[in-house]
Amino acid sequence: MDLKIGVIKGDGIGPEIVAEAMKVLNKVGDTYGHTIEYTQLLMGGASIDVNGTPLTDETVALARASGAVLMGSIGGDAKTSPWYKLEPSKRPEAGLLKIRKELGLFANLRPAVLYDELRGACPLKEEITEGGFDMMIMRELTGGLYFGERRTVEENGVMTAYDSLTYNENEIRRIAKRGFDIAMKRRKKVTSVDKANVLDSSRLWRKVVEEVAAGYPEVALEHMLVDNCAMQLVKDPKQFDVILTENMFGDILSDEASMVTGSIGMLASASLNETKFGLYEPSGGSAPDIAGKGIANPIATILSAAMMLRFSFDLDREAQAIEAAVERALAEGYRTIDIMSEGKKQVGTEEMGDLIARYIG
Ligand code: IPM
Ligand code: MG
């Protein structure tokens, strides 16, 4: 098969972790007879430096022409980087929000799995993690508070800021359907997370999710308030299969879920639209504090590449080969510093990529 992949290395640790994912993809290509054509795309700070803007229309068009996009991370240190002297709509993060919107990437899948091997890195007590956990956070990605109207104005001498949270029933319905479809392939449970005791948008969310649920009689649906969900994630993460939620709640809960798996450096993600196209990125940020040191964990990016093969190219066997190679590297005791524990072998970014590539096929 011929794979056309757009690559956004981005900022901070982005270029380092993407290089390792490409190494692994190339090995998959060699092993299973696929040719891979990469197109480098600029976004975030890297694009600001060259084009003066975090995302150009040309980059969007190139991304659209690819089968999928693999991304590292974008953004820098908000205190020291000149990017943050720009107005908010010109900063690195605006590029990410824009590409999600332009490509209609409304469904964000963030799997959080506790690997047996990484139990030591999990901050929760053993009695809580006994038996492991495996959940999928389905985050709505192109609506809600992050895309609502916003402004900061002075009213009667008082600075006042407005952000608006809007959802229409169609936006809710399409993400809910995706959530139930995924649940059908998993343990058939959906926890829909909202704040229906306060917000109108959440009450509509709940109503539409219930309508969608009627079409999936095999799936058990429960509703959970977001504050309670934040608590349940550390109290009893095993109870979750698919967590279905709106944009901001999903942003927050997915960082929390990643930490209970041991490290945000392990969490892959896929952002999908109505077609096979997707943007695949680690859930973690650009970590400017460790950029260039060769110590970042490339596993989340490598696992994102596996999700890309599965969802955008229907290459299930190849995706599984990557996942098995990651598990083998962990089973053999190799760890980057973020997941290091006593008695294990500490390796850098490149060495971890080499090991995983070696274990393919
Ligand atoms: C994420 C990030 C982004 C988001 C930021 C960088 C805009 O935190 O992908 O979770 O909030 O969506
Ligand atoms: Mg986030």
Side-chain angles (χ1 to χ4, degrees):
M1 190 174 178
D2 233 348
L3 314 185
K4 286 186 70 179
I5 300 174
V7 176
I8 301 172
K9 291 184 177 166
D11 312 317
I13 59 171
E16 300 161 57
I17 53 182
V18 167
E20 301 315 308
M22 288 171 68
K23 190 186 278 173
V24 172
L25 280 171
N26 290 339
K27 181 69 185 296
V28 167
D30 290 347
T31 309
Y32 295 93
H34 305 297
T35 51
I36 309 181
E37 192 189 313
Y38 298 103
T39 308
Q40 299 295 332
L41 307 174
L42 287 180
M43 196 170 92
S47 173
I48 296 174
D49 290 345
V50 176
N51 303 311
T53 157
L55 180 69
T56 63
D57 292 341
E58 193 199 349
T59 302
V60 174
L62 286 169
R64 202 173 263 136
S66 322
V69 171
L70 179 68
M71 189 192 126
S73 52
I74 53 114
D77 183 337
K79 278 204 196 106
T80 56
S81 163
W83 301 328
Y84 296 90
K85 300 219 161 49
L86 301 166
E87 61 171 278
S89 66
K90 297 257 163 34
R91 292 178 193 167
E93 287 75 6
L96 181 55
L97 294 174
K98 182 174 168 197
I99 201 167
R100 287 174 178 166
K101 193 72 172 180
E102 294 263 341
L103 300 174
L105 306 172
F106 68 89
N108 184 213
L109 281 65
R110 297 188 165 181
V113 180
L114 181 67
Y115 287 86
D116 229 31
E117 293 293 335
L118 290 188
R119 223 160 257 212
C122 174
L124 301 179
K125 285 196 209 127
E126 241 179 77
E127 66 224 52
I128 297 176
T129 58
E130 188 92 65
F133 52 80
D134 173 357
M135 67 187 105
M136 177 69 86
I137 302 197
M138 286 287 297
R139 167 187 176 193
E140 200 292 326
L141 202 59
T142 52
L145 206 50
Y146 295 9
F147 290 93
E149 247 177 68
R150 68 181 101 259
R151 64 183 197 282
T152 305
V153 286
E154 200 176 310
E155 284 174 355
N156 305 321
V158 181
M159 289 306 289
T160 307
Y162 292 88
D163 290 288
S164 47
L165 201 183
T166 311
Y167 269 109
N168 70 41
E169 56 178 311
N170 298 330
E171 290 171 309
I172 302 169
R173 195 167 293 115
R174 64 182 182 177
I175 185 74
K177 278 192 179 143
R178 279 291 171 91
F180 281 88
D181 285 341
I182 299 257
M184 283 298 287
K185 295 190 187 148
R186 297 172 48 98
R187 301 193 305 280
K188 300 194 172 65
K189 179 178 176 190
V190 169
T191 304
S192 174
V193 175
D194 61 37
K195 187 70 184 170
N197 54 348
V198 178
L199 302 175
D200 260 20
S201 56
S202 283
R203 286 186 275 267
L204 181 62
W205 180 278
R206 218 175 249 222
K207 179 170 172 279
V208 175
V209 167
E210 273 172 9
E211 285 165 18
V212 171
Y216 296 83
E218 283 175 59
V219 178
L221 167 68
E222 68 174 2
H223 299 285
M224 193 177 277
L225 297 173
V226 62
D227 44 355
N228 183 30
C229 184
M231 180 181 82
Q232 295 295 334
L233 271 172
V234 290
K235 191 174 165 218
D236 178 21
K238 270 195 286 291
Q239 67 181 291
F240 296 109
D241 179 16
V242 174
I243 292 181
L244 171 67
T245 192
E246 63 98 69
N247 203 344
M248 180 173 64
F249 298 158
D251 185 22
I252 298 167
L253 294 175
S254 60
D255 268 28
E256 187 187 357
S258 74
M259 199 55 231
V260 305
T261 69
S263 169
I264 197 161
M266 296 295 298
L267 207 71
S269 100
S271 305
L272 310 174
N273 62 17
E274 304 278 10
T275 71
K276 282 273 165 202
F277 180 87
L279 181 134
Y280 300 84
E281 52 167 320
S283 290
S286 58
D289 52 322
I290 58 162
K293 295 190 176 154
I295 58 170
N297 186 349
I299 293 180
T301 318
I302 291 169
L303 291 173
S304 300
M307 288 183 93
M308 175 176 79
L309 296 179
R310 177 170 291 125
F311 291 115
S312 285
F313 299 112
D314 288 321
L315 297 173
D316 236 49
R317 181 187 54 167
E318 288 80 345
Q320 272 167 26
I322 294 180
E323 288 156 358
V326 167
E327 275 171 42
R328 179 161 164 207
L330 294 174
E332 294 192 353
Y334 296 104
R335 302 283 189 272
T336 43
I337 191 166
D338 54 310
I339 49 173
M340 183 61 190
S341 58
E342 227 188 290
K344 303 297 177 191
K345 294 169 262 193
Q346 193 172 319
V347 295
T349 311
E350 260 187 65
E351 204 179 342
M352 184 59 98
D354 287 340
L355 285 161
I356 294 168
R358 191 181 314 146
Y359 296 154
I360 299 283

